[in-house]
PDB file of all heavy atoms in Angstrom:
ATOM      1  N   ASP M 285      91.381  88.288 114.213  1.00 72.00           N
ATOM      2  CA  ASP M 285      90.626  87.333 113.412  1.00 72.00           C
ATOM      3  C   ASP M 285      89.126  87.408 113.666  1.00 72.00           C
ATOM      4  O   ASP M 285      88.352  86.651 113.082  1.00 72.00           O
ATOM      5  CB  ASP M 285      91.099  85.902 113.707  1.00 72.00           C
ATOM      6  CG  ASP M 285      92.507  85.654 113.180  1.00 72.00           C
ATOM      7  OD1 ASP M 285      92.916  86.395 112.274  1.00 72.00           O
ATOM      8  OD2 ASP M 285      93.179  84.742 113.678  1.00 72.00           O
ATOM      9  N   ASN M 286      88.706  88.309 114.534  1.00 76.00           N
ATOM     10  CA  ASN M 286      87.295  88.365 114.920  1.00 76.00           C
ATOM     11  C   ASN M 286      86.425  89.071 113.895  1.00 76.00           C
ATOM     12  O   ASN M 286      85.199  89.013 113.983  1.00 76.00           O
ATOM     13  CB  ASN M 286      87.161  89.070 116.277  1.00 76.00           C
ATOM     14  CG  ASN M 286      85.775  88.953 116.851  1.00 76.00           C
ATOM     15  OD1 ASN M 286      85.188  87.874 116.840  1.00 76.00           O
ATOM     16  ND2 ASN M 286      85.226  90.051 117.327  1.00 76.00           N
ATOM     17  N   GLY M 287      87.014  89.745 112.926  1.00 82.00           N
ATOM     18  CA  GLY M 287      86.217  90.424 111.918  1.00 82.00           C
ATOM     19  C   GLY M 287      86.948  91.632 111.377  1.00 82.00           C
ATOM     20  O   GLY M 287      87.957  92.084 111.930  1.00 82.00           O
ATOM     21  N   PHE M 288      86.405  92.167 110.294  1.00 89.00           N
ATOM     22  CA  PHE M 288      86.995  93.328 109.637  1.00 89.00           C
ATOM     23  C   PHE M 288      86.031  94.503 109.769  1.00 89.00           C
ATOM     24  O   PHE M 288      84.827  94.357 109.567  1.00 89.00           O
ATOM     25  CB  PHE M 288      87.284  93.016 108.176  1.00 89.00           C
ATOM     26  CG  PHE M 288      88.207  91.844 108.002  1.00 89.00           C
ATOM     27  CD1 PHE M 288      87.709  90.591 107.708  1.00 89.00           C
ATOM     28  CD2 PHE M 288      89.569  91.993 108.153  1.00 89.00           C
ATOM     29  CE1 PHE M 288      88.547  89.511 107.555  1.00 89.00           C
ATOM     30  CE2 PHE M 288      90.425  90.925 108.008  1.00 89.00           C
ATOM     31  CZ  PHE M 288      89.911  89.677 107.707  1.00 89.00           C
ATOM     32  N   TYR M 289      86.586  95.674 110.088  1.00 93.00           N
ATOM     33  CA  TYR M 289      85.774  96.845 110.386  1.00 93.00           C
ATOM     34  C   TYR M 289      86.221  98.034 109.540  1.00 93.00           C
ATOM     35  O   TYR M 289      87.327  98.057 108.995  1.00 93.00           O
ATOM     36  CB  TYR M 289      85.897  97.220 111.872  1.00 93.00           C
ATOM     37  CG  TYR M 289      85.440  96.148 112.837  1.00 93.00           C
ATOM     38  CD1 TYR M 289      86.299  95.126 113.222  1.00 93.00           C
ATOM     39  CD2 TYR M 289      84.156  96.163 113.359  1.00 93.00           C
ATOM     40  CE1 TYR M 289      85.890  94.142 114.111  1.00 93.00           C
ATOM     41  CE2 TYR M 289      83.732  95.189 114.256  1.00 93.00           C
ATOM     42  CZ  TYR M 289      84.605  94.180 114.621  1.00 93.00           C
ATOM     43  OH  TYR M 289      84.192  93.207 115.494  1.00 93.00           O
ATOM     44  N   ILE M 305      81.145  96.994 111.392  1.00 88.00           N
ATOM     45  CA  ILE M 305      81.550  95.719 110.817  1.00 88.00           C
ATOM     46  C   ILE M 305      81.325  95.744 109.310  1.00 88.00           C
ATOM     47  O   ILE M 305      80.335  96.286 108.820  1.00 88.00           O
ATOM     48  CB  ILE M 305      80.768  94.545 111.468  1.00 88.00           C
ATOM     49  CG1 ILE M 305      81.341  93.197 111.045  1.00 88.00           C
ATOM     50  CG2 ILE M 305      79.285  94.647 111.165  1.00 88.00           C
ATOM     51  CD1 ILE M 305      82.649  92.872 111.669  1.00 88.00           C
ATOM     52  N   LEU M 306      82.253  95.175 108.571  1.00 82.00           N
ATOM     53  CA  LEU M 306      82.138  95.163 107.119  1.00 82.00           C
ATOM     54  C   LEU M 306      81.071  94.194 106.628  1.00 82.00           C
ATOM     55  O   LEU M 306      80.605  94.289 105.512  1.00 82.00           O
ATOM     56  CB  LEU M 306      83.487  94.792 106.493  1.00 82.00           C
ATOM     57  CG  LEU M 306      84.347  95.935 105.970  1.00 82.00           C
ATOM     58  CD1 LEU M 306      85.614  95.388 105.358  1.00 82.00           C
ATOM     59  CD2 LEU M 306      83.595  96.753 104.944  1.00 82.00           C
ATOM     60  N   GLY M 307      80.720  93.229 107.435  1.00 72.00           N
ATOM     61  CA  GLY M 307      79.747  92.237 106.981  1.00 72.00           C
ATOM     62  C   GLY M 307      80.344  91.210 106.048  1.00 72.00           C
ATOM     63  O   GLY M 307      79.648  90.606 105.240  1.00 72.00           O
ATOM     64  N   LEU M 308      81.661  91.006 106.158  1.00 67.00           N
ATOM     65  CA  LEU M 308      82.339  90.037 105.299  1.00 67.00           C
ATOM     66  C   LEU M 308      82.586  88.723 106.005  1.00 67.00           C
ATOM     67  O   LEU M 308      83.266  87.852 105.484  1.00 67.00           O
ATOM     68  CB  LEU M 308      83.696  90.607 104.844  1.00 67.00           C
ATOM     69  CG  LEU M 308      83.672  91.963 104.151  1.00 67.00           C
ATOM     70  CD1 LEU M 308      85.081  92.386 103.796  1.00 67.00           C
ATOM     71  CD2 LEU M 308      82.802  91.913 102.911  1.00 67.00           C
ATOM     72  N   GLY M 309      82.081  88.584 107.209  1.00 53.00           N
ATOM     73  CA  GLY M 309      82.426  87.400 107.982  1.00 53.00           C
ATOM     74  C   GLY M 309      83.769  87.612 108.649  1.00 53.00           C
ATOM     75  O   GLY M 309      84.304  88.705 108.698  1.00 53.00           O
ATOM     76  N   ASN M 310      84.366  86.542 109.189  1.00 54.00           N
ATOM     77  CA  ASN M 310      85.683  86.674 109.793  1.00 54.00           C
ATOM     78  C   ASN M 310      86.740  86.136 108.849  1.00 54.00           C
ATOM     79  O   ASN M 310      86.455  85.701 107.741  1.00 54.00           O
ATOM     80  CB  ASN M 310      85.735  85.950 111.146  1.00 54.00           C
ATOM     81  CG  ASN M 310      85.320  84.490 111.030  1.00 54.00           C
ATOM     82  OD1 ASN M 310      85.660  83.818 110.063  1.00 54.00           O
ATOM     83  ND2 ASN M 310      84.584  84.003 112.018  1.00 54.00           N
ATOM     84  N   SER M 311      87.984  86.166 109.283  1.00 50.00           N
ATOM     85  CA  SER M 311      89.079  85.801 108.392  1.00 50.00           C
ATOM     86  C   SER M 311      89.075  84.327 108.028  1.00 50.00           C
ATOM     87  O   SER M 311      89.856  83.895 107.194  1.00 50.00           O
ATOM     88  CB  SER M 311      90.420  86.164 109.037  1.00 50.00           C
ATOM     89  OG  SER M 311      90.595  85.466 110.253  1.00 50.00           O
ATOM     90  N   ASN M 312      88.236  83.525 108.674  1.00 59.00           N
ATOM     91  CA  ASN M 312      88.119  82.126 108.273  1.00 59.00           C
ATOM     92  C   ASN M 312      87.284  81.969 107.013  1.00 59.00           C
ATOM     93  O   ASN M 312      87.212  80.882 106.438  1.00 59.00           O
ATOM     94  CB  ASN M 312      87.498  81.299 109.406  1.00 59.00           C
ATOM     95  CG  ASN M 312      88.422  81.210 110.607  1.00 59.00           C
ATOM     96  OD1 ASN M 312      89.632  81.133 110.436  1.00 59.00           O
ATOM     97  ND2 ASN M 312      87.864  81.257 111.806  1.00 59.00           N
ATOM     98  N   ARG M 313      86.640  83.036 106.569  1.00 75.00           N
ATOM     99  CA  ARG M 313      85.797  82.959 105.366  1.00 75.00           C
ATOM    100  C   ARG M 313      86.342  83.801 104.222  1.00 75.00           C
ATOM    101  O   ARG M 313      86.333  83.381 103.081  1.00 75.00           O
ATOM    102  CB  ARG M 313      84.374  83.407 105.702  1.00 75.00           C
ATOM    103  CG  ARG M 313      83.660  82.505 106.689  1.00 75.00           C
ATOM    104  CD  ARG M 313      82.300  83.073 107.050  1.00 75.00           C
ATOM    105  NE  ARG M 313      81.497  83.374 105.868  1.00 75.00           N
ATOM    106  CZ  ARG M 313      80.387  84.074 105.901  1.00 75.00           C
ATOM    107  NH1 ARG M 313      79.966  84.578 107.046  1.00 75.00           N
ATOM    108  NH2 ARG M 313      79.711  84.298 104.794  1.00 75.00           N
ATOM    109  N   LEU M 314      86.795  85.010 104.523  1.00 81.00           N
ATOM    110  CA  LEU M 314      87.272  85.890 103.461  1.00 81.00           C
ATOM    111  C   LEU M 314      88.289  86.870 104.022  1.00 81.00           C
ATOM    112  O   LEU M 314      88.153  87.338 105.148  1.00 81.00           O
ATOM    113  CB  LEU M 314      86.130  86.647 102.815  1.00 81.00           C
ATOM    114  CG  LEU M 314      86.538  87.541 101.640  1.00 81.00           C
ATOM    115  CD1 LEU M 314      85.617  87.348 100.458  1.00 81.00           C
ATOM    116  CD2 LEU M 314      86.543  89.004 102.071  1.00 81.00           C
ATOM    117  N   ILE M 315      89.312  87.164 103.239  1.00 89.00           N
ATOM    118  CA  ILE M 315      90.335  88.137 103.631  1.00 89.00           C
ATOM    119  C   ILE M 315      90.266  89.315 102.665  1.00 89.00           C
ATOM    120  O   ILE M 315      90.619  89.165 101.494  1.00 89.00           O
ATOM    121  CB  ILE M 315      91.743  87.519 103.604  1.00 89.00           C
ATOM    122  CG1 ILE M 315      91.825  86.338 104.570  1.00 89.00           C
ATOM    123  CG2 ILE M 315      92.790  88.565 103.949  1.00 89.00           C
ATOM    124  CD1 ILE M 315      93.161  85.628 104.540  1.00 89.00           C
ATOM    125  N   PRO M 316      89.823  90.501 103.095  1.00 93.00           N
ATOM    126  CA  PRO M 316      89.847  91.675 102.211  1.00 93.00           C
ATOM    127  C   PRO M 316      91.273  92.185 102.049  1.00 93.00           C
ATOM    128  O   PRO M 316      92.077  92.125 102.985  1.00 93.00           O
ATOM    129  CB  PRO M 316      88.973  92.693 102.944  1.00 93.00           C
ATOM    130  CG  PRO M 316      89.025  92.281 104.378  1.00 93.00           C
ATOM    131  CD  PRO M 316      89.218  90.798 104.400  1.00 93.00           C
ATOM    132  N   LEU M 347      83.681  92.465  96.221  1.00 93.00           N
ATOM    133  CA  LEU M 347      82.499  92.773  97.021  1.00 93.00           C
ATOM    134  C   LEU M 347      82.143  94.243  96.841  1.00 93.00           C
ATOM    135  O   LEU M 347      83.025  95.101  96.793  1.00 93.00           O
ATOM    136  CB  LEU M 347      82.740  92.470  98.498  1.00 93.00           C
ATOM    137  CG  LEU M 347      83.052  91.001  98.792  1.00 93.00           C
ATOM    138  CD1 LEU M 347      84.534  90.841  99.059  1.00 93.00           C
ATOM    139  CD2 LEU M 347      82.235  90.496  99.944  1.00 93.00           C
TER     140      LEU M 347
END
Side-chain angles (χ1 to χ4, degrees):
D285 291 338
N286 190 45
F288 302 99
Y289 299 84
I305 189 73
L306 261 182
L308 305 179
N310 55 39
S311 61
N312 293 324
R313 295 176 53 192
L314 183 133
I315 300 177
L347 299 104

